[in-house]
Amino acid sequence: MSEVIIAVALIWVAASGTAVVLTRDPLRQAFVAGFFGLGLAFLYLSMQAGDVALSQIVVGAIALPLIVLLAMAKVRKDRE
Amino acid sequence: MSVLAYGVVAWLFLVGIYGVVTSRNLIHLVVCVSVAQSATDVLLLEIGYRNGGHAPVFVDLPAHPGPAVDAVMQALALTDVVVGAAVTALLMALAVQVHKRAGTLDPDELRATRE
Amino acid sequence: MGLVSTSVLLPISVAVPLGGAALLAGFSWLLPRRARDLIAIAVALATTALTLSLVAASAGHPMIYWFSGWRPSAGMVIGIDYAAGPLGAGMASLAGVLASAALVYSWRYFDSARGRHHALVLIFLAASVDFCLTGDLFNLFVAFELVAVTAFALTGYNAGHPGPLQGAINFAVTNSLGGMTVLMGVGFLYARTGSLNLAQIGQALAGRHADGLVVVAFALLTGGFLVKAAVVPFHFWLPDAYGSAPTPVCVLFAGVMSELGLFAVIRVWDTVFSGLAGGVGPRMRAVLLGFGILTAVVGAVMALAQTHLKRMLAFVTMSHLGIYLIGAGLLTPLGLAGASLLVIGDGLAKSALFLGVGVVQHQRASVSELKLRGQGRGLAVTGVTIVLGALVLADLPPFVSSAGHALLVDAADEVGLPWMELVIALSVILSSGAVLRAAGRIWLGWGASESSRPDTGTADDPGEENEDDGRPRSGRRERVPLTMVLPPLALLAIGLGLGLTSGIEEHAVAAAAAFSDRTSYAAGVLGTHGSPIPPRGPAVPASPELSAGGVLTDLGQVLAALGVAALALNPRAAGLRRALAAGTGWLRRLHSGLVGDQVTWLVAGLALLAALGEAALH
Amino acid sequence: MSRRARLMFFAVAAAALAVTLGVGLAGLPSFGSQVSAYARMLNEVSGRQRHVTDVVSAITFDYRGIDTLFEEFILLGAVTGISVLLRPLSDETRQLPEDKAPDRGIPPPSPAVWLLAVFLSSLLVLTGLETVTHGTLTPGGGFQGGVILASALYVVYLGTNYRTVERYQPDALLESSDGVGAFGYVFIGLLGLMAGDVFLTNVVGLGVTGNPISGGIIPLLNLTVGLEVAGGFAILASEFLDQTAVIRTKTGPR
């Protein structure tokens, strides 16, 4: 059972990681990256790494997308 | 299962680098670096995984819990997540500043150190 | 009891700079500017003194320190250790000296962003010390990343200009990827040996034949470190970063940071891989020498092609890194000893050169050799500093790099590669000649000025940046503050003093022998035998005849470098220069400064290293 | 290189690197088949030796505590570096966003929004503190809790406007928290030396396994990390926010 969950998580991570790279628009990429971050956290959790999963959630699904969005906002303001 | 598990590591690393090489936008490029970086965490945790193993947290366990997974690799991955976050944030600050000062985010248009 | 008191130096020499940095970062808003400068300088000097005392204390037998008191039990390592010998401690104290010089130099020089610049320099210093002392592979990775993170920020310090920012981005992207490959290598070795301790991993691999996993682990680890060491083809980020970073930061970069990359390559080779079965040493020597020769020559040729002074020094640094790799890559104690003395001697000289160029930039607001033609008047002391520094780079006796050069030549002879001397001489002459050419143009007004640019190939001359942002200069011809003039002279004086120290070659060879002895290192760390290892009598062929021959060679190099400079400035040799510029145009075009190109080269370099590693180890 | 040439070169190089990685990965033991003797030993003994239930925290802060010390400084270095890179330069000014419609006046945040923000943020503070303090027992610790605490600050701001943020931002406090946290880790390490033992030795009682206050210095180290990370991430977010909201160039991009 746990093997199936891990396999699903691995495929989720591989697919969403590819999607992050192929999403060339940074704004949309930020959301895909959040989804990828959640996938990583899920993968870590399925591999019994709760500490790492929690770190991954706070970094990958909260801090990183927030920074990307703020950076995008700054860039847009510069262009005005 | 091994092929899938280890294949994902190589895939994430290479696809992240592919993104870096082909990127036309520094913010996109920085996120691609973080994709490649996550390959290392996945590798460490896979090395430390044990089939049917439980988390290395010894609280509320059943009577015969079986083996636990490798806590050392988890500690290393923990450190690496923090390192990755620090580097990503720093790169993002550089990207913001480059856009302000060079007026572009396209890495291929940045030739300041050349011309 | 005596042992306890000296081993305490190990944790204190990282705790002092770390604590100082934390206080500066957290409380700079409370402190006046002068206090911030003083605290930073005091902390850097204290770290220097601590690491210097480590050099003395660890001579003869390595010092082992187990953090949190976790000693190995039943042959299994539990915690993290520091394993200090004079070579590692010497490297750490070089970092201390250069950090102190950089901080003194920036005293009046620029705005330290409320002490944050100083905090970053101190963290950089602490990370370098940890890097040199640690006996744990993962801790080495953490130190690698800490050096990197502070260095990225310091590179982009002049954040108002695109050049430093682009340099920082190229630097950060390539070196982060390097860090990732290092970590993957760590993971592979852990999966194979179940350990993160250098000595224990080496023990587990010793006497075995390398398989695919070990070869790939070698390539990933070494490749990652070579990115930091800026060895061809991992080097493309270096001129962008070093050419645009603030001067005090360049001192740390050129003198210590790249050398740390090479240090890690050799440390990991000696402790982890050198015990592999099948006579891997000679074949690995060929691989490392190949990379070293390529780097030395490419760096020297590129240095000669530059007119942007900092970028020129960046390529000079790179060429010298190639020479150190040749020395260390001979994989003999003699070669490593020669490389170590060169790292110290050249490191001090290169730092003095960067600081001298910084003075020129501060006073004349330019770093372009062509724009500065004849502008040297009034900066005589700096001119002398730069000429002397350039001559030291050509191994002018009796500076310590001359002693290192002699050892290196002996080491190459010892393994039957006497022609290596020619490769080294060629690179040294070209890179030193480039700096002398610039000095001749700036202080003597020789050669052409901007109007008739000789290099019509590509313009890899980046823009000029004013470093002291936000601090209006009263007049351009104001007196240079002593805090800017003295540090480079002090660095050169240290190099001279070390060169005049009798027996420095013997000390270096003994340190190198202890450093590269895998079995006694492992025995010391794992405690497999109680008594300290008696130091093996090092064979130092430093007889008077050889030294005299060495002095003649060195003087020959100095003269040849002067000749190169004269030729480069002679109006009648314009045709030759044009031909050379045309012949090297392709090489300069490869240094495009684009991060996508640099990462592609990195990937190719990793694959190449893996293929060569397979041939050497398997 | 042209983009096309680069892509072709990359394709070849990446294929070679893929083969390299494949060879290395193929040499690994099959997935999930083994755990190192080192890890088995630590799983076995750390509960007894350190009185913790979460072995990861014992490794992070005790067996390999020196790694975490340097990890803290990676964060401190990055935050300091970002403050340096994003500092207002000589040609930039700090200027609050102009009111586009001065006759309208900024509406005060409605009490309901305020209340929600305060409620959410207190919830986050509690979660953050709980995560920081229970690091020895369950997954989580100073780092994770610290980030949650930093985010609590910003949820308060969600309920208001940037003018209030700018006025009440406790910059000095955040910086001090960052520095004190990092210094605290070094200091606890030095306590071991002062007690006549080695750096980062446990100098306090180990406590009863299962209590929040157990594991010796591990909860204290978690606390310092929590302080450092909370301050650091708050500074980080505020630097980026400042760039977006108040810092503008006098001359425009060059």
Side-chain angles (χ1 to χ4, degrees):
Chain A
M1 185 56 204
S2 63
E3 275 214 9
V4 178
I5 297 176
I6 293 174
V8 170
L10 283 168
I11 293 167
W12 174 3
V13 163
S16 58
T18 313
V20 172
V21 168
L22 296 182
T23 309
R24 300 278 165 176
D25 172 41
L27 195 60
R28 246 185 281 166
Q29 194 198 25
F31 292 104
V32 184
F35 188 66
F36 171 63
L38 278 180
L40 282 175
F42 179 60
L43 173 65
Y44 300 162
L45 204 58
S46 70
M47 289 198 288
Q48 306 296 325
D51 281 282
V52 189
L54 199 52
S55 292
Q56 182 59 44
I57 287 177
V58 297
V59 167
I62 300 174
L64 180 66
L66 180 75
I67 292 173
V68 174
L69 291 180
L70 284 174
M72 281 307 295
K74 172 66 179 171
V75 165
R76 294 206 165 179
K77 219 186 98 186
D78 277 356
R79 285 197 182 137
E80 275 169 14
Chain B
M1 189 65 188
S2 289
V3 174
L4 175 64
Y6 297 144
V8 167
V9 173
W11 177 254
L12 281 180
F13 189 62
L14 289 169
V15 89
I17 295 183
Y18 167 78
V20 171
V21 168
T22 57
S23 185
R24 302 304 299 257
N25 183 309
L26 278 175
I27 295 178
H28 171 267
L29 187 148
V30 174
V31 177
C32 291
V33 171
S34 78
V35 170
Q37 193 266 337
S38 61
T40 57
D41 295 330
V42 176
L43 174 67
L44 292 181
L45 292 179
E46 285 178 354
I47 288 172
Y49 183 67
R50 172 79 202 254
N51 278 332
H54 64 83
V57 180
F58 292 84
V59 64
D60 301 333
L61 287 175
H64 297 286
V69 302
D70 188 333
V72 178
M73 286 294 109
Q74 296 196 5
L76 303 199
L78 207 53
T79 303
D80 190 43
V81 168
V82 180
V83 171
V87 170
T88 307
L90 197 57
L91 274 168
M92 205 58 88
L94 284 168
V96 164
Q97 202 67 13
V98 159
H99 183 263
K100 195 161 47 170
R101 295 295 164 171
T104 178
L105 274 175
D106 187 345
D108 283 352
E109 280 177 19
L110 284 174
R111 286 161 190 258
T113 60
R114 233 166 58 107
E115 282 155 17
Chain C
M1 211 52 216
L3 266 177
V4 172
S5 59
T6 54
S7 69
V8 157
L9 292 172
L10 288 163
I12 291 183
S13 41
V14 289
V16 165
L18 286 180
L23 289 180
L24 274 181
F27 295 99
S28 62
W29 52 278
L30 275 177
L31 299 166
R33 179 191 167 107
R34 198 42 54 90
R36 296 195 290 253
D37 289 354
L38 278 176
I39 291 174
I41 293 171
V43 169
L45 285 174
T47 311
T48 312
L50 284 163
T51 44
L52 277 175
S53 60
L54 279 179
V55 177
S58 64
H61 58 90
M63 294 165 75
I64 312 293
Y65 192 86
W66 293 98
F67 283 98
S68 311
W70 295 111
R71 297 175 168 279
S73 92
M76 187 185 284
V77 171
I78 302 170
I80 295 178
D81 68 318
Y82 272 1
L87 202 101
M91 191 75 204
S93 53
L94 178 65
V97 169
L98 296 181
S100 309
L103 287 169
V104 171
Y105 182 85
S106 53
W107 176 274
R108 298 269 303 273
Y109 181 49
F110 63 42
D111 163 42
S112 68
R114 282 210 291 116
R116 292 188 186 115
H117 170 266
H118 299 345
L120 287 171
V121 168
L122 291 181
I123 299 178
F124 179 96
L125 174 59
S128 309
V129 175
D130 181 50
F131 200 97
C132 296
L133 302 182
T134 190
D136 186 276
L137 191 54
F138 184 73
N139 195 244
L140 191 66
F141 162 78
V142 175
F144 179 97
E145 290 287 353
L146 185 52
V147 167
V149 164
T150 48
F152 304 157
L154 286 170
T155 305
Y157 190 83
N158 291 319
H161 305 276
L165 295 168
Q166 194 196 343
I169 284 184
N170 293 354
F171 181 14
V173 171
T174 49
N175 280 257
S176 300
L177 291 173
M180 291 170 207
T181 69
V182 169
L183 186 55
M184 285 198 199
V186 176
F188 281 144
L189 286 182
Y190 178 83
R192 171 57 48 88
T193 64
S195 178
L196 296 164
N197 184 279
L198 290 170
Q200 198 173 21
I201 299 172
Q203 202 84 323
L205 293 181
R208 308 242 180 137
H209 285 276
D211 63 351
L213 180 138
V214 174
V215 170
V216 172
F218 163 81
L220 292 174
L221 280 169
T222 307
F225 293 136
L226 288 181
V227 174
K228 176 141 289 178
V231 164
V232 177
F234 302 102
H235 71 285
F236 289 92
W237 60 272
L238 181 138
D240 301 338
Y242 290 21
S244 58
T247 305
V249 174
C250 287
V251 168
L252 292 175
F253 286 4
V256 191
M257 188 174 67
S258 318
E259 287 76 0
L260 287 178
L262 289 182
F263 177 88
V265 169
I266 298 304
R267 166 126 264 182
V268 169
W269 170 261
D270 279 339
T271 56
V272 170
F273 295 106
S274 66
L276 287 168
V280 289
R283 275 172 290 160
M284 185 47 63
R285 174 184 301 152
V287 173
L288 295 179
L289 289 181
F291 279 106
I293 293 170
L294 200 59
T295 308
V297 173
V298 168
V301 170
M302 286 298 292
L304 204 58
Q306 307 300 314
T307 56
H308 181 286
L309 293 176
K310 279 186 168 176
R311 212 171 149 83
M312 175 192 291
L313 290 180
F315 280 111
V316 169
T317 303
M318 189 185 135
S319 172
H320 280 266
L321 288 165
I323 295 173
Y324 311 152
L325 183 55
I326 292 175
L330 290 169
L331 299 178
T332 62
L334 208 52
L336 184 57
S340 309
L341 289 184
L342 276 178
V343 165
I344 297 172
D346 290 344
L348 293 167
K350 271 176 299 187
S351 304
L353 285 172
F354 267 115
L355 293 178
V357 168
V359 172
V360 174
Q361 183 177 14
H362 183 255
Q363 294 292 311
R364 300 287 180 268
S366 174
V367 282
S368 161
E369 177 187 336
L370 299 171
K371 277 192 201 156
L372 285 167
R373 177 172 173 268
Q375 299 270 308
R377 273 169 256 288
L379 297 174
V381 180
T382 302
V384 171
T385 308
I386 287 184
V387 170
L388 201 56
L391 294 179
V392 171
L393 288 185
D395 302 326
L396 176 75
F399 285 84
V400 67
S401 41
S402 156
H405 181 236
L407 283 180
L408 200 56
V409 169
D410 289 347
D413 286 346
E414 185 190 54
V415 297
L417 299 167
W419 52 271
M420 202 59 76
E421 187 177 350
L422 295 176
V423 177
I424 297 170
L426 175 76
S427 345
V428 163
I429 289 166
L430 289 183
S431 54
S432 175
V435 180
L436 288 171
R437 180 198 69 197
R441 203 181 319 253
I442 295 170
W443 275 274
L444 302 175
W446 291 356
S449 67
E450 193 156 27
S451 49
S452 57
R453 265 181 94 110
D455 53 331
T456 46
T458 61
D460 40 6
D461 184 11
E464 314 239 0
E465 278 108 25
N466 197 0
E467 289 202 328
D468 27 10
D469 262 346
R471 306 220 303 139
R473 263 201 308 274
S474 47
R476 288 189 65 204
R477 305 271 160 167
E478 72 184 293
R479 248 172 68 93
V480 193
L482 275 184
T483 47
M484 296 177 75
V485 180
L486 289 183
L489 287 175
L491 294 177
L492 288 174
I494 295 174
L496 181 62
L498 285 175
L500 294 173
T501 310
S502 67
I504 188 137
E505 291 96 339
E506 286 82 352
H507 286 303
V509 174
F515 188 86
S516 39
D517 186 345
R518 188 188 61 78
T519 45
S520 64
Y521 173 84
V525 171
L526 303 175
T528 35
H529 59 74
S531 61
I533 319 97
R536 294 186 305 176
V540 192
S543 58
E545 297 89 343
L546 270 173
S547 297
V551 168
L552 282 184
T553 321
D554 291 342
L555 288 178
Q557 283 186 174
V558 167
L559 286 179
L562 287 167
V564 166
L567 201 61
L569 292 169
N570 192 328
R572 271 171 293 177
L576 177 64
R577 285 199 297 274
R578 258 195 301 279
L580 279 176
T584 55
W586 62 274
L587 189 59
R588 287 189 283 156
R589 271 190 296 279
L590 280 185
H591 294 78
S592 61
L594 301 181
V595 69
D597 291 351
Q598 302 182 344
V599 171
T600 306
W601 279 107
L602 194 160
V603 171
L606 279 174
L608 174 70
L609 190 61
L612 294 174
E614 170 76 14
L617 297 177
H618 210 163
Chain D
M1 277 188 275
S2 69
R3 287 184 62 83
R4 197 183 150 75
R6 182 202 295 168
L7 199 60
M8 275 156 65
F9 183 24
F10 176 76
V12 177
L17 184 61
V19 172
T20 304
L21 287 176
V23 169
L25 292 164
L28 290 174
S30 76
F31 178 62
S33 67
Q34 67 166 52
V35 164
S36 74
Y38 179 38
R40 280 200 307 269
M41 190 260 300
L42 288 178
N43 277 337
E44 177 83 14
V45 301
S46 57
R48 207 164 56 240
Q49 287 179 336
R50 295 290 104 179
H51 294 205
V52 295
T53 52
D54 185 357
V55 181
V56 179
S57 80
I59 295 172
T60 309
F61 291 103
D62 195 309
Y63 296 102
R64 302 185 60 84
I66 197 78
D67 277 345
T68 309
L69 169 64
F70 283 99
E71 178 204 313
E72 288 324 296
F73 278 86
I74 291 183
L75 211 55
L76 183 73
V79 170
T80 310
I82 288 166
S83 305
V84 161
L85 293 173
L86 298 183
R87 71 191 187 275
L89 295 164
S90 51
D91 60 344
E92 289 176 337
T93 50
R94 292 176 63 85
Q95 189 188 343
L96 282 171
E98 281 163 33
D99 212 333
K100 295 269 166 67
D103 52 315
R104 202 151 44 87
I106 303 170
S110 79
V113 172
W114 243 115
L115 223 60
L116 186 67
V118 169
F119 173 72
L120 264 179
S121 141
S122 353
L123 210 64
L124 280 172
V125 168
L126 287 178
T127 319
L129 288 178
E130 141 99 28
T131 313
V132 170
T133 49
H134 286 64
T136 44
L137 304 178
T138 50
F143 176 72
Q144 297 93 335
V147 182
I148 296 176
L149 283 175
S151 63
L153 194 62
Y154 285 87
V155 171
V156 176
Y157 294 158
L158 281 184
T160 171
N161 57 45
Y162 197 77
R163 241 170 241 275
T164 327
V165 176
E166 176 77 1
R167 180 148 9 121
Y168 295 108
Q169 175 118 307
D171 277 328
L173 184 73
L174 294 180
E175 250 178 64
S176 313
S177 157
D178 200 18
V180 166
F183 186 79
Y185 204 119
V186 180
F187 183 74
I188 292 174
L190 288 173
L191 282 181
L193 290 183
M194 292 177 207
D197 209 321
V198 295
F199 192 81
L200 219 54
T201 308
N202 190 42
V203 284
V204 297
L206 286 170
V208 179
T209 310
N211 277 5
I213 303 178
S214 60
I217 54 173
I218 297 175
L220 294 176
L221 292 175
N222 262 315
L223 222 56
T224 63
V225 172
L227 261 181
E228 203 245 297
V229 172
F233 267 81
I235 294 174
L236 201 156
S238 106
E239 292 288 353
F240 276 97
L241 211 55
D242 269 6
Q243 283 293 324
T244 315
V246 289
I247 292 182
R248 49 200 69 206
T249 27
K250 287 176 194 158
T251 49
R254 302 180 200 180

